[in-house]
Amino acid sequence: MENHSKLQIYQGIIQYILDSTNYNLKNIAELSHSSIGHLRSIHCQNIVPVDFFSESQLVKLYQIILDIHPKKNRR
């Protein structure tokens, strides 16, 4: 159950970043110090890898995008 919740959260984060930036999965992987394979697994295959240790980096990237995004729209 916890893994399903994490999957939904990570998928939402990844989709938000994809939708609100020009980033692709490779860019997100680089910026969050994740492997592209892990992000593809989450985003495309609905699986959170057991060795996905970049959770906090992905959340930090998401927070940065959220902070920047509203400012971008104000211009």
Side-chain angles (χ1 to χ4, degrees):
M1 183 68 156
E2 178 186 332
N3 216 22
H4 181 68
S5 297
K6 283 185 175 187
L7 174 65
Q8 289 182 313
I9 290 167
Y10 299 152
Q11 285 177 326
I13 288 172
I14 293 167
Q15 193 60 54
Y16 179 83
I17 295 171
L18 290 171
D19 290 345
S20 62
T21 67
N22 291 326
Y23 297 157
N24 57 34
L25 283 180
K26 183 179 179 197
N27 301 133
I28 296 169
E30 290 171 355
L31 291 169
S32 65
H33 307 286
S34 304
S35 86
I36 185 80
H38 284 166
L39 292 185
R40 278 193 185 121
S41 177
I42 292 167
H43 185 67
C44 305
Q45 300 169 348
N46 299 322
I47 299 168
V48 177
V50 291
D51 59 343
F52 181 61
F53 300 117
S54 303
E55 299 166 332
S56 62
Q57 294 298 326
L58 182 61
V59 171
K60 284 179 187 176
L61 176 61
Y62 177 62
Q63 289 173 325
I64 290 168
I65 301 299
L66 283 176
D67 287 344
I68 291 171
H69 193 56
K71 294 174 187 170
K72 196 168 123 181
N73 287 338
R74 286 185 211 147
R75 293 185 187 179

